[in-house]
Amino acid sequence: MNKTLFEKIWDSHVVKTIDGGPSVIYVDRHFIHEVTSPQAFAGLKKRNISVFRPAQVVATADHNVPTIEQNLPIKEELSRLQVEALKRNCADFGIELYGLGHPYQGIVHVIGPELGITRPGMTIVCGDSHTSTHGAFGAIAFGIGTSEVEMVLATQCVLQTKPKLMRINVDGELNRGVVAKDIILYIISKISASGATGYFVEYAGSTIRGLSMEGRMTICNMSIEMGARGGMVAPDEITFSYMKGRHFTPKNQDWDEKIAYWSTLYSEDHVLFDSEININASEIEPMITYGTNPGMGIAITGHIPSLEEISDQEKPSFEKSLQYMGLQPGTDIRGKKVDYVFIGSCTNSRIEDLRMVASFVKGKKKAAGVEVWVVPGSKQVEKQAIEEGIGKIFEDAGFNLRQPGCSACLGMNEDKIPAGKYCISTSNRNFEGRQGPNARTMLASPLTAAAAAITGRITDVRDLI
Amino acid sequence: MSKSFTTIRSTGVPLKIENIDTDQIIPARFLKATTREGFGQNLFRDWRFYSDGRPKEGFILNDPGYHGKILVAAKNFGCGSSREHAAWAIKDYGFDVVISSFFADIFKNNALNNFLLPVTVSENFLQLIFDAIRQDAETLIEVNLDKQLIQLAGIGTEEKFEIDNYKKTCMLNGYDDIDYLLSITQEIEKFEALRI
Ligand code: SF4
């Protein structure tokens, strides 16, 4: 029988299926970070058991870490304790840790791919919903809760019910100024923040095939924002050339064998998906969100929906959301003043994102009164940015290039957006309070964020290029 | 934490908001603990309290008229971050059941792993529950896991709900997935040997 990409990988990882229940899925790679792992390690200690396959687990500290003066001890006590707990647990259980100060440290979903740990055909989990990012390599990658982290540490397996499968085909040429982030914000705005719940999504079509690995990662990253368990793209030449020569990538004969296998990972013709959606790339414009869930996105030239455009059932949530954002129904979004610009997070903090921003802002200066934070996804991205002169371009523009971590994506460290302030953010969530209590987040691409940094207002980047 | 689940008969607390994400259930700044206890006090923190700690009067959890072990929420409950702390907070606060017309996947798993029962009902039935509670906050809701039945006591309206058999057995008996997986490590090792 012809199989989908998902089924090929899933089927080869089923240890067994429980009658009338979930399957026991074998996990190839398990990433952990400081926030969702301490209780799992405590569970192992309580049961007096060890980690089943420590060599398949990789840890990093990212959520809590400061993004300045990382050489100094973490000032905030609870954050420091959590990072120290991770260090102790990794030492106690024999797990490789890329902690603060390590040249490989960074956001878990940035370092996995960048080090060649993430590979096609794998099952990958992490106690973090944006694990979906790794699906860009043609892997089944999904977020799990802390009890499941404990399960995987204890047995290298997780219990999962096979999800339904959705394929989203994006075909055609992208408009000027439109990048991967706009594609995924557009898709979510079309199918809503819950439109893919219960599904695993495969992204396909000529537009997706034409994207770089960074672009594909941005798209898979936000699959969870429409409720999907994960997203994936079939591996191809672009995947292989991104992977080649990375630190943990297989070498020599091993590499050739792997390529032969990876090349079999695609959805065959005439397979049936439980749902299939077609998107015409030419309809996509630079996007921005105006509300408090990622489904509330519009084209930058568009207007916030008026009350008449919203169904009665959705009205209370819609009004609550706009009230929080301090925005009026039916109004234009362009020209609105912004206070902060955050370029970072596992969605858009890779070297390509920083290059994109740098080539746009080169020779320009940020508007007065706007605070601009650029937070690289990893130590390696930071190093590369400095070596390539991107750091200098940001400095000249008045942008603040910081050290790697999750930073203002969720504001667990000091990088919080003050109450009531507007922040254009390249991250993935605009939930109430996500970037700090009462902070107002608008999600956009790195280009749109950079354009706002330069003008101090929400701007159609196409007017500046 | 109670580790088994039978029938719950309780009043419900109505939270008629769609797309409630786990950042609202428990904001990130409260995720710094290294234990599972005490998250209930920060459940819905920023909806429940002003920044100086005073309770916000309009929020339903601060309304003494509403109480009980059942939280009733509008669709797409628990979306966003995978933080299990959200399930811990709801359970720690004292809820044993969450009812919605639609749950985010990871939240649902996390809830079940903590013996917090997510009950998915139809949009119509959810509306009936909201209406019934609005008319009488003392309306009793009965959730029978064994029969997979939810009933509005007194009103007599009922609906079946779905749960997979394995999870149901775990919930009814207080079994936990880790015990199960640990019991099959030999099979896991056999699987590993065959793959390489
Ligand atoms: S950058 Fe943001 S979304 Fe990504 S892992 Fe960190 S907190 Fe989560």
Side-chain angles (χ1 to χ4, degrees):
Chain A
M1 207 181 75
N2 286 356
K3 284 187 179 182
T4 61
L5 166 62
F6 180 91
E7 287 164 325
K8 285 177 182 173
I9 304 171
W10 175 271
D11 291 352
S12 67
H13 288 82
V14 176
V15 176
K16 66 187 283 183
T17 298
I18 301 169
D19 236 8
S23 296
V24 177
I25 295 296
Y26 189 78
V27 171
D28 294 317
R29 282 286 179 279
H30 183 195
F31 293 103
I32 58 174
H33 63 71
E34 75 276 22
V35 178
T36 53
S37 65
Q39 293 86 351
F41 283 112
L44 296 186
K45 286 183 178 159
K46 204 162 134 205
R47 288 170 202 261
N48 202 12
I49 52 177
S50 53
V51 171
F52 190 66
R53 295 289 177 257
Q56 285 165 243
V57 189
V58 177
T60 190
D62 52 6
H63 282 64
N64 265 329
V65 303
T67 56
I68 47 166
E69 300 182 328
Q70 286 186 345
N71 53 324
L72 301 178
I74 301 177
K75 288 200 197 94
E76 219 262 325
E77 194 195 350
L78 289 174
S79 297
R80 194 182 65 243
L81 290 178
Q82 218 171 37
V83 171
E84 279 168 4
L86 179 69
K87 204 167 164 184
R88 209 171 40 244
N89 285 325
C90 287
D92 289 352
F93 289 94
I95 293 167
E96 183 85 77
L97 168 67
Y98 301 137
L100 268 190
H102 194 287
Y104 296 162
Q105 180 267 335
I107 304 173
V108 61
H109 312 306
V110 175
I111 68 168
E114 155 186 283
L115 291 169
I117 300 172
T118 299
R119 297 180 201 163
M122 279 186 162
T123 46
I124 299 172
V125 298
C126 174
D128 195 289
S129 55
H130 292 102
T131 309
S132 58
T133 313
H134 307 261
F137 290 79
I140 294 182
F142 54 89
I144 55 178
T146 297
S147 295
E148 291 167 315
V149 170
E150 187 178 339
M151 270 173 232
V152 183
L153 289 173
T155 65
Q156 204 57 35
C157 288
V158 64
L159 287 163
Q160 285 293 307
T161 308
K162 191 172 171 187
K164 291 181 285 181
L165 301 181
M166 175 186 287
R167 180 157 62 187
I168 299 180
N169 304 297
V170 188
D171 283 289
E173 290 275 317
L174 286 175
N175 289 315
R176 199 169 59 96
V178 174
V179 291
K181 181 65 163 284
D182 300 303
I183 302 178
I184 189 64
L185 284 175
Y186 179 82
I187 294 174
I188 303 168
S189 77
K190 287 281 160 210
I191 74 174
S192 92
S194 60
T197 303
Y199 289 92
F200 216 95
V201 177
E202 179 179 342
Y203 300 95
S206 63
T207 319
I208 303 291
R209 292 259 76 86
L211 290 177
S212 66
M213 285 316 292
E214 284 87 349
R216 294 176 189 182
M217 281 190 257
T218 299
I219 289 185
C220 288
N221 174 275
M222 288 191 73
S223 305
I224 183 80
E225 259 50 79
M226 47 189 177
R229 287 299 268 133
M232 62 201 313
V233 176
D236 57 15
E237 279 309 319
I238 292 177
T239 319
F240 306 148
S241 70
Y242 174 96
M243 292 182 68
K244 198 161 181 160
R246 292 188 181 262
H247 191 80
F248 292 106
T249 301
K251 309 262 151 34
N252 306 325
Q253 192 192 340
D254 201 16
W255 170 254
D256 296 335
E257 280 169 17
K258 284 285 185 310
I259 295 267
Y261 164 58
W262 294 340
S263 304
T264 66
L265 298 173
Y266 55 87
S267 288
E268 284 160 36
D269 292 342
H270 313 301
V271 285
L272 264 187
F273 285 81
D274 300 292
S275 170
E276 190 141 12
I277 291 171
N278 296 309
I279 306 268
N280 182 348
S282 67
E283 284 169 10
I284 308 175
E285 288 194 67
M287 295 286 295
I288 189 156
T289 64
Y290 62 88
T292 53
N293 78 57
M296 301 173 91
I298 48 173
I300 197 122
T301 51
H303 65 274
I304 297 168
S306 59
L307 284 176
E308 297 78 64
E309 292 170 276
I310 301 292
S311 74
D312 279 350
Q313 204 189 348
E314 286 169 27
K315 240 173 226 161
S317 302
F318 176 78
E319 287 179 318
K320 178 174 186 298
S321 178
L322 284 199
Q323 196 188 1
Y324 179 87
M325 291 298 292
L327 296 170
Q328 297 305 319
T331 56
D332 279 358
I333 194 123
R334 258 188 310 178
K336 174 111 202 91
K337 200 174 154 303
V338 303
D339 307 295
Y340 282 77
V341 173
F342 172 62
I343 296 169
S345 91
C346 56
T347 316
N348 284 120
S349 65
R350 299 182 178 81
I351 191 67
E352 184 185 76
D353 300 309
L354 268 49
R355 283 187 193 133
M356 186 195 317
V357 172
S359 72
F360 169 74
V361 301
K362 193 170 182 183
K364 300 187 178 74
K365 278 223 177 311
K366 77 166 178 78
V370 185
E371 181 80 25
V372 186
W373 294 338
V374 184
V375 182
S378 70
K379 274 316 244 190
Q380 299 210 77
V381 171
E382 180 192 23
K383 184 164 170 265
Q384 213 172 339
I386 292 169
E387 281 169 8
E388 292 180 13
I390 291 172
K392 180 78 175 58
I393 294 174
F394 288 159
E395 198 187 313
D396 293 346
F399 289 18
N400 180 356
L401 178 67
R402 299 169 82 91
Q403 291 172 309
C406 294
S407 180
C409 173
L410 90 168
M412 268 191 91
N413 67 355
E414 297 83 4
D415 307 346
K416 293 182 179 60
I417 307 303
K421 299 290 180 195
Y422 289 92
C423 176
I424 296 222
S425 177
T426 67
S427 56
N428 42 47
R429 289 187 171 141
N430 50 356
F431 298 150
E432 286 183 30
R434 172 79 178 181
Q435 298 194 290
N438 290 310
R440 290 161 164 169
T441 304
M442 303 172 123
L443 304 174
S445 79
L447 276 182
T448 299
I454 300 304
T455 61
R457 297 186 175 273
I458 295 174
T459 303
D460 187 341
V461 66
R462 292 169 297 191
D463 295 342
L464 300 181
I465 51 178
Chain B
M1 185 174 73
S2 73
K3 278 196 74 170
S4 72
F5 192 103
T6 47
T7 295
I8 300 271
R9 201 179 151 87
S10 165
T11 49
V13 179
L15 190 53
K16 203 176 174 184
I17 300 169
E18 293 183 358
N19 300 312
I20 294 179
D21 58 81
T22 53
D23 274 80
Q24 308 317 312
I25 300 173
I26 181 94
R29 60 187 191 282
F30 300 111
L31 308 187
K32 299 188 185 189
T34 49
T35 63
R36 287 176 187 244
E37 288 81 42
F39 287 99
Q41 64 192 55
N42 293 317
L43 175 67
F44 294 114
R45 176 76 199 199
D46 295 337
W47 287 354
R48 227 167 112 200
F49 299 105
Y50 292 103
S51 54
D52 61 7
R54 275 179 307 125
K56 292 186 179 173
E57 277 186 359
F59 188 59
I60 200 85
L61 292 194
N62 295 328
D63 184 336
Y66 296 99
H67 54 94
K69 294 181 171 164
I70 300 177
L71 179 65
V72 189
K75 85 164 190 236
N76 199 25
F77 185 81
C79 58
S81 154
S82 61
R83 60 189 68 162
E84 194 165 313
H85 313 68
W88 299 338
I90 295 172
K91 185 80 185 179
D92 189 52
Y93 183 86
F95 291 115
D96 288 320
V97 176
V98 187
I99 299 172
S100 176
S101 55
F102 204 88
F103 289 95
D105 285 330
I106 305 183
F107 176 81
K108 203 197 277 178
N109 280 349
N110 287 341
L112 287 165
N113 282 332
N114 289 281
F115 299 90
L116 170 69
L117 184 68
V119 176
T120 309
V121 296
S122 68
E123 206 56 67
N124 277 341
F125 197 78
L126 186 66
Q127 202 50 51
L128 280 178
I129 302 176
F130 280 130
D131 291 347
I133 300 178
R134 199 184 48 214
Q135 273 167 23
D136 178 6
E138 296 303 317
T139 304
L140 286 174
I141 306 167
E142 185 174 304
V143 177
N144 183 325
L145 175 58
D146 189 34
K147 292 191 180 142
Q148 296 176 225
L149 205 62
I150 172 168
Q151 255 179 328
L152 277 170
I155 303 175
T157 336
E158 60 178 43
E159 193 171 88
K160 285 277 270 179
F161 63 89
E162 295 293 318
I163 179 170
D164 94 36
N165 253 330
Y166 166 81
K167 270 298 168 195
K168 179 172 163 181
T169 314
C170 288
M171 289 288 282
L172 287 172
N173 299 292
Y175 297 159
D176 121 358
D177 286 353
I178 305 184
D179 292 331
Y180 170 73
L181 286 173
L182 285 169
S183 75
I184 62 160
T185 44
Q186 278 186 349
E187 285 179 67
I188 298 170
E189 279 169 355
K190 234 190 270 162
F191 176 86
E192 284 179 319
L194 284 175
R195 284 185 77 220
I196 304 156

